[in-house]
Amino acid sequence: MPATQKLRTAPRKQAIQPRALATVDAILEATARILVREGYDHASTNRIAEAAGVSIGSLYQYFPSKEALVAALMDRHVEEMSIVLQRETARVLDAPFESAIEHVVQAMLAAHAVNPKLHKVFVEQVPRVGRLQKIRDIEEGALRLARDFLEHRRTELRPGLDLDLASFIVVATVEALTHAAVLYRPDLLADRRMVNEVRDVVVRYLT
Amino acid sequence: MPATQKLRTAPRKQAIQPRALATVDAILEATARILVREGYDHASTNRIAEAAGVSIGSLYQYFPSKEALVAALMDRHVEEMSIVLQRETARVLDAPFESAIEHVVQAMLAAHAVNPKLHKVFVEQVPRVGRLQKIRDIEEGALRLARDFLEHRRTELRPGLDLDLASFIVVATVEALTHAAVLYRPDLLADRRMVNEVRDVVVRYLT
DNA sequence: AGCGAACCTGAGCGGTCGCTCACATCATGG
DNA sequence: CCATGATGTGAGCGACCGCTCAGGTTCGCT
């Protein structure tokens, strides 16, 4: 690279002063609001900046692209969900079989109740950002965890079960029923009957 | 309306001559290809017309908007799936319980195997077109069918089952496992083991 | 052959989008 | 209290998008 290349560092910047932190936060909050209210492709960066009460220039000081902005919001959302998930599943994996399943289901529902509307937008509308890979990673982690759990409790399962296939089925079922609740019946996210039914589906399938 | 209003009929037109039918077909085929290959928001109408080997003007002779074009493709896809579904479930709803469930599951998987990649795009990317209502209608129809079926077979189910909740659970489970297969394990769509597992999940939950 | 209808063409309009940059304002340490 | 970096501004650029329209080409029919 010749000397003329000024190394134009990409416009990503780390906020330091409290004022800047507030700006970043306002932008993320506004992004969430607009995404939920208007949908992904009506959520233009200009509109987001306006809703956040900052100029479009400020937005691009902290996020190098719209994609990066949405990805950052996604990270924050996933982080919040993970905290709930881990808190609710910390001590139960050695609990009695049925109770362990129940707690995991309960945790999934609670995690998705953090911000169901935003979650719905991510699931339904946000395009194949590179971040989709991250979702796949989470998915794969869940699959491995489930697989290990089933292996560990092998003696309590009905015989003849293909553990690989069974873990795929179980993970997909719990996730999917949770998502179905998010999309169509958000009222069920906090309903104990939902927890019981999903637990029954899984336990009856496995034992 | 004053006389100056020329009643500018919207640019939708019905193709008559075979040449025109071929054009319409080429446009729909190209739309499917581009949607799968590039994703919804990189699928510009100009790009689609180019891929179809017709001019952009021709495209807008038959489809009044991009939305209408995608909706038409969606209709065609849903139609193809419905044919498979109905063919596979026509005679089995009076079959023995377990066998009936199995055939429905088998039919769902077969229907989704028609064009899984396109289905994936519709599920993941196509925004809240008005057509989303149509999907909800199908969903609701499935729910009612399931509810009626369970009612009809009430004596074969375990007691204490809340039929409303149970039909939601069953429909969501079958749909969701099918979709999980479409998205992550398309190989399972034609795998008999998958049919067996999903049937087991449902039957064990219900009886 | 001739003619009206059906069909097809593609340059380009009006608009929006993501994003940049030259500059203003604020906050802090010397 | 001023100098300097951190922070904030917003007009506007270039690209692309959905879509139109004035006019050409082909078809079906007499």
Side-chain angles (χ1 to χ4, degrees):
Chain A
M1 279 181 209
T4 36
Q5 185 74 22
K6 269 296 173 81
L7 244 194
R8 296 220 138 279
T9 324
R12 4 167 171 137
K13 207 180 271 186
Q14 259 302 91
I16 302 292
Q17 303 178 2
R19 173 167 70 118
L21 287 171
T23 298
V24 169
D25 200 64
I27 293 170
L28 286 172
E29 288 297 323
T31 306
R33 279 206 311 279
I34 299 288
L35 275 183
V36 167
R37 198 181 308 152
E38 322 257 356
Y40 181 81
D41 32 327
H42 289 104
S44 73
T45 49
N46 282 294
R47 211 200 247 290
I48 288 172
E50 188 192 337
V54 306
S55 81
I56 181 64
S58 289
L59 190 153
Y60 277 95
Q61 290 230 333
Y62 299 107
F63 303 98
S65 68
K66 179 181 178 181
E67 190 175 314
L69 169 57
V70 173
L73 183 64
M74 216 160 164
D75 282 351
R76 206 171 84 158
H77 176 66
V78 168
E79 184 61 24
E80 286 170 13
M81 287 183 62
S82 290
I83 288 171
V84 173
L85 248 184
Q86 284 176 353
R87 185 183 64 215
E88 310 255 328
T89 57
R91 290 178 288 272
V92 294
L93 287 180
D94 285 315
F97 188 77
E98 196 162 328
S99 157
I101 299 285
E102 178 172 325
H103 276 87
V104 172
V105 171
Q106 163 62 33
M108 276 290 279
L109 289 169
H112 283 79
V114 165
N115 193 342
K117 288 182 184 173
L118 184 59
H119 196 83
K120 182 172 175 171
V121 173
F122 284 143
V123 170
E124 283 190 337
Q125 295 184 34
V126 174
R128 88 250 111 259
V129 175
R131 263 337 134 100
L132 214 136
Q133 185 51 47
K134 200 179 178 185
I135 294 180
R136 292 296 293 268
D137 290 349
I138 293 177
E139 213 93 357
E140 218 156 294
L143 200 61
R144 206 165 30 246
L145 269 176
R147 171 68 218 239
D148 290 348
F149 178 74
L150 293 187
E151 190 92 50
H152 187 238
R153 303 299 188 95
R154 199 179 325 108
T155 57
E156 301 176 62
L157 309 179
R158 68 185 157 98
L161 208 58
D162 176 338
L163 288 196
D164 280 322
L165 198 49
S167 29
F168 173 73
I169 294 278
V170 167
V171 169
T173 301
V174 174
E175 268 184 10
L177 285 174
T178 306
H179 273 138
V182 171
L183 298 186
Y184 303 119
R185 298 285 302 273
D187 58 299
L188 289 179
L189 281 177
D191 192 329
R192 279 224 60 82
R193 291 186 307 153
M194 182 68 183
V195 179
N196 291 337
E197 296 303 303
V198 178
R199 179 205 58 203
D200 283 356
V201 171
V202 173
V203 170
R204 284 169 166 275
Y205 166 63
L206 287 176
T207 59
Chain B
M1 280 181 205
T4 37
Q5 186 72 23
K6 269 298 174 82
L7 247 192
R8 295 221 138 280
T9 325
R12 3 167 172 136
K13 208 179 269 187
Q14 259 301 91
I16 303 291
Q17 304 178 2
R19 171 167 70 120
L21 287 172
T23 299
V24 169
D25 200 65
I27 293 170
L28 286 173
E29 288 297 323
T31 306
R33 278 206 312 278
I34 299 288
L35 275 183
V36 167
R37 199 180 309 152
E38 322 257 355
Y40 181 81
D41 33 327
H42 289 103
S44 74
T45 50
N46 282 295
R47 211 200 245 293
I48 289 172
E50 188 192 337
V54 306
S55 82
I56 181 64
S58 290
L59 189 154
Y60 277 95
Q61 291 225 335
Y62 300 106
F63 303 98
S65 67
K66 179 183 177 180
E67 190 175 315
L69 169 57
V70 173
L73 183 63
M74 216 159 162
D75 283 351
R76 206 170 84 159
H77 177 66
V78 168
E79 183 63 25
E80 287 172 12
M81 286 181 63
S82 291
I83 289 172
V84 173
L85 248 183
Q86 285 176 355
R87 185 183 62 214
E88 309 255 328
T89 59
R91 293 177 285 274
V92 294
L93 287 181
D94 286 314
F97 189 77
E98 196 162 326
S99 156
I101 299 285
E102 178 172 325
H103 275 87
V104 172
V105 170
Q106 163 61 33
M108 275 290 278
L109 289 170
H112 283 78
V114 165
N115 193 340
K117 286 182 185 173
L118 184 59
H119 196 83
K120 181 172 177 174
V121 173
F122 284 144
V123 169
E124 282 189 339
Q125 294 185 35
V126 174
R128 89 248 113 261
V129 176
R131 259 342 130 98
L132 211 137
Q133 184 54 46
K134 202 180 179 184
I135 294 180
R136 292 296 291 269
D137 290 350
I138 294 177
E139 213 93 356
E140 218 157 293
L143 200 61
R144 207 164 30 248
L145 270 176
R147 170 70 216 238
D148 290 348
F149 179 73
L150 293 187
E151 191 92 51
H152 186 239
R153 303 299 188 96
R154 197 177 329 107
T155 57
E156 301 177 62
L157 310 180
R158 68 185 155 100
L161 209 58
D162 176 339
L163 288 195
D164 281 321
L165 198 48
S167 28
F168 173 73
I169 294 279
V170 167
V171 170
T173 301
V174 174
E175 270 183 9
L177 285 173
T178 306
H179 274 139
V182 171
L183 299 186
Y184 305 118
R185 297 285 302 272
D187 58 299
L188 289 179
L189 281 175
D191 192 329
R192 277 224 62 80
R193 290 185 308 152
M194 181 71 180
V195 179
N196 291 338
E197 297 302 304
V198 178
R199 179 204 59 203
D200 283 355
V201 171
V202 172
V203 170
R204 284 170 165 273
Y205 167 64
L206 288 175
T207 60

